[in-house]
Structure formats: structure tokens, C-alpha cells
Amino acid sequence: MQQLNRAKVLAAAREEFTARGYPGAKVDSIAERAGLTRGAVYSNFPGKRALYFAVLAELAESAPETSTDLAVDCTPRSALAMFARTWTARLPLAGGLARLDTHLMSEVLADERTRQPYGQLLKLDALLLGLALERLLLVRAPSDQEGPADGPRMVRVAESVLTSLHGARQLADAAPGFIEPFTVIHACERLADSTPHDTWAPPHLPYVPRARPVDEPWPRASAPEGSQAGSRAGSRVVGADPVANPAFVDAVRGTPARLGADGVLAVLGLHRLEAVEEAVRSAPPGATVTVALVSGCPDELIPLARLAIADVVSCLRASFPVASWPRLQVVYDASGSLAAAAGLPAVSDGTEAAVRIAGGRIVARADGRGACHAAATAGLADPVPASG
């Protein structure tokens, strides 16, 4: 019944935002459209902004993907051109009907609670695009070794591309008719040839304590009674085996996440998402790296995360061959059940923890700044941070 009511509220909210825009929409009107009480709306969403983020996330994730014939030998230039073409195709470049997400940025800017997570989400977006560019270079010029550290780091290029595209989105709303899509596409294409100073060696890594060796079952037992993870209601059943739970989807590929694979599971709050690069760069070849996104305000901020990542992933899938998609898995842990299975009874936006999984067991764990690097290098004789 709760899931049914939630679906009714989302459908009604989409109608209300479409009809009246975000500023003019009323929670009472949404409740009336859904045939529910105002209390029923608030029992599913903490407020109008959370509803807005959830509606936009649903739309972004359900949008039909562009069907393209991607050449296996496509270049970074052609991939970035297609990425930008897919992005700009969504914009009202000739002053057409306003998009439903026109007020997204103003809502993000309105509150520090949304600004900081959004900044970290864009860093994760840039990492995903940068890793795809790096893997594309490796696919085109195979070497004896694997991993992003074998070639140049492309995250700065990805940040420049996303800066251009987000700027184009804002100007398409603020100055209809100003944006020339082919100019934007050409600029993003040329960025593939730029050579920004781009190295990766966070200064704190040499001083990060080693991960603690452990021998624990994976997944661990469900969260204790009364813990944050064990008490939060959500679409996932807390206490169920997360490894076998198909509700945990890899947002990059849109398929069930491989949570039982050997590798690193990083549990990161939305203030610490940039730390996942430490696991990506430090993990040995073949290790699966998964980041579980958690939040102290999941009902509002996890939909924002879904929206920001779907924005980039949909363009990435349409422009890069599957072989160059980043190996990083991204999953949303709104209920905290995956974090609890990794041994974290409570989470917040500042959470930074990681475990190393091998042979169906947790063999090492680390917490705090540098945890992703420590877990990724657990068991290595002489771990050296990759420089990218």
C-alpha cells in the first residue's frame, strides 16, 4: 500500500509541476490529484522539494536511451562529440516549452544542504566520464597491464566538458536562442585534445593507516534493532541479503549490481563522494569497485543523486562502447541496509568507510579519510598510490 501511494503521489506531483511549474505547485493540490490526504503525501516525502527531486529522478531514469551504432574503434573526440550531442538534444534551444527541471538549479542553490552534495555528485559524474575516456584510450591502445593508471588521467577533461554542458543548459533557460548546439558540440569534441595538468596523488594517502584485517561473513547480519539502517522504512527490505537483492542496481549499467564479487565496497555519504577515486586508482586489476551512496537525508538527497548520475550515465551509454564503460559500480543505499551489511549500523552524509571482499568474506575494513585507499590496498605487500 505504501508503494502504491508513493506511486500515486509521484504521478500527481508530475502533473502538478507540469501544469503550474515548481513555484506554483501546492502540496494540497498534489494530494487532491492523488486522491490522498496531505498527511499521506508527507508520510512518503518530507516536502515539495523532495517531491520535485524524486519526479525529476524518475523522468531521468525512465527516459528512452538513444539508440546508436557505436564503432568499437571510436575515438575520444567522436565519443565526446556524441556525448555533447545527446546532452544538447534535450535543450529548448529555440525558446520552446520550458523543461520541468528549469527550477532545479535554483532549488540546489537555495540551501547548503543541497549545494555541497550536488558539488560532490558532479565530481562523481566527472569521474565516471573521465574513466570512460581513459578506458577508451586503453581499448584503442592495449597494454600489458590494465587499469586507469596505465594512461593519462582524463578527469580534468571530463570536468571541462561537464562545465560547458551545464553552462549550456543554464543559458538555454536564461537566454533562449543564444545557444548554438553545434558550437557546444565542437567545443566538447576539441577538449579531447586538451592537455590540462592532471595528476592524481592526494597528499594524505602515504599517511593513511592500513586497513584492519578481519574475517567476517559477507553480508553481515541485518542491522541491530533501533539503528538508523534497521529502522528506516524504504523500498528495500532491511535485513534481506543485499547480495541477492535485485533492487540494488548498478546505476552505470542499469543491471543488478554484482555485490558478491571480490573487490572493494565503499560506503560514502554525499559529502565524501570524491573519495571513491582512491579505491578506483588503488585497487588491483580485476577487482570490482562498488560505491554505495548513503545520506542522512535520503528521502530528499538520494533522488537528487539519482537525477545527477542518470543525467551523465544516459549520455555515456549513448556515446561510448560498452568495453570502455567505467568498471566502477554505483548503487543507491537509501535504506542503509547495504551499509548495515558491511558493518555500519548508522550512516550520514559524512560517512566514509570501505571493506575489502574476497571469497565471500569481508577480509579488511577501514573508516575515515583514506578508507577507500586503505581497503583497496589491503593485503598488498607494498601499496603505492597510483598517480594516474
Side-chain angles (χ1 to χ4, degrees):
M1 182 61 70
Q2 184 182 18
Q3 291 177 351
L4 180 61
N5 286 344
R6 183 180 177 88
K8 287 181 178 179
V9 171
L10 280 173
R14 179 177 177 179
E15 293 176 2
E16 179 75 1
F17 293 140
T18 301
R20 300 187 179 182
Y22 177 76
K26 305 294 183 186
V27 173
D28 286 338
S29 297
I30 293 172
E32 184 177 348
R33 288 177 185 270
L36 298 169
T37 65
R38 180 185 177 94
V41 174
Y42 281 115
S43 70
N44 285 278
F45 299 93
K48 187 171 80 167
R49 185 170 64 184
L51 257 174
Y52 186 51
F53 291 162
V55 166
L56 294 180
E58 292 279 336
L59 289 173
E61 292 175 338
S62 62
E65 294 192 7
T66 306
S67 177
T68 55
D69 239 349
L70 296 177
V72 176
D73 61 345
C74 75
T75 66
R77 286 190 63 161
S78 63
L80 284 182
M82 178 60 74
F83 187 96
R85 189 174 295 116
T86 305
W87 183 288
T88 56
R90 307 167 180 171
L91 303 182
L93 298 171
L97 293 176
R99 302 187 321 276
L100 199 60
D101 66 352
T102 300
H103 297 279
L104 171 63
M105 195 53 60
S106 61
E107 284 307 299
V108 169
L109 291 171
D111 195 335
E112 179 63 27
R113 292 179 301 174
T114 48
R115 284 201 302 270
Q116 187 172 355
Y118 192 69
Q120 287 291 301
L121 286 164
L122 292 188
K123 283 185 175 291
L124 180 54
D125 282 347
L127 176 63
L128 291 171
L129 179 56
L131 290 175
L133 287 167
E134 293 170 17
R135 283 183 60 78
L136 184 57
L137 289 171
L138 288 177
V139 168
R140 288 174 51 79
S143 62
D144 294 335
Q145 296 180 330
E146 294 183 353
D150 298 324
R153 182 177 185 263
M154 299 291 285
V155 177
R156 295 290 185 215
V157 169
E159 289 174 349
S160 298
V161 169
L162 292 180
T163 298
S164 299
L165 294 176
H166 278 283
R169 172 180 286 172
Q170 295 303 305
L171 283 174
D173 291 326
F178 174 76
I179 293 297
E180 168 51 58
F182 294 108
T183 301
V184 176
I185 294 167
H186 182 65
C188 291
E189 180 183 14
R190 294 295 298 271
L191 282 169
D193 300 327
S194 64
T195 55
H197 179 68
D198 193 358
T199 59
W200 185 86
H204 67 273
L205 291 188
Y207 310 102
V208 170
R210 298 279 184 106
R212 304 185 301 279
V214 296
D215 183 16
E216 303 170 359
W218 169 245
R220 288 168 56 97
S222 60
E225 182 96 23
S227 72
Q228 178 183 358
S231 62
R232 179 180 298 147
S235 59
R236 304 185 183 101
V237 178
V238 178
D241 181 353
V243 173
N245 189 345
F248 285 105
V249 173
D250 172 16
V252 176
R253 291 159 188 79
T255 56
R258 296 174 295 110
L259 298 176
D262 289 358
V264 180
L265 170 65
V267 181
L268 297 178
L270 296 188
H271 292 178
R272 293 297 305 145
L273 298 185
E274 62 187 319
V276 73
E277 188 169 3
E278 298 178 5
V280 172
R281 303 292 180 189
S282 304
T288 298
V289 178
T290 303
V291 56
L293 276 57
V294 297
S295 173
C297 305
D299 293 332
E300 182 170 68
L301 295 183
I302 293 298
L304 180 62
R306 289 167 47 207
L307 170 61
I309 292 171
D311 231 8
V312 163
V313 165
S314 60
C315 295
L316 188 150
R317 292 178 189 167
S319 51
F320 285 80
V322 174
S324 64
W325 291 2
R327 292 178 179 172
L328 175 64
Q329 294 190 123
V330 178
V331 298
Y332 307 115
D333 188 18
S335 69
S337 58
L338 186 54
L344 280 72
V347 294
S348 72
D349 289 299
T351 294
E352 184 173 347
V355 295
R356 182 71 177 270
I357 299 167
R361 308 283 293 180
I362 298 176
V363 298
R365 63 171 56 253
D367 304 283
R369 193 164 291 257
C372 293
H373 169 73
T377 56
L380 300 183
D382 186 20
V384 178
S387 61

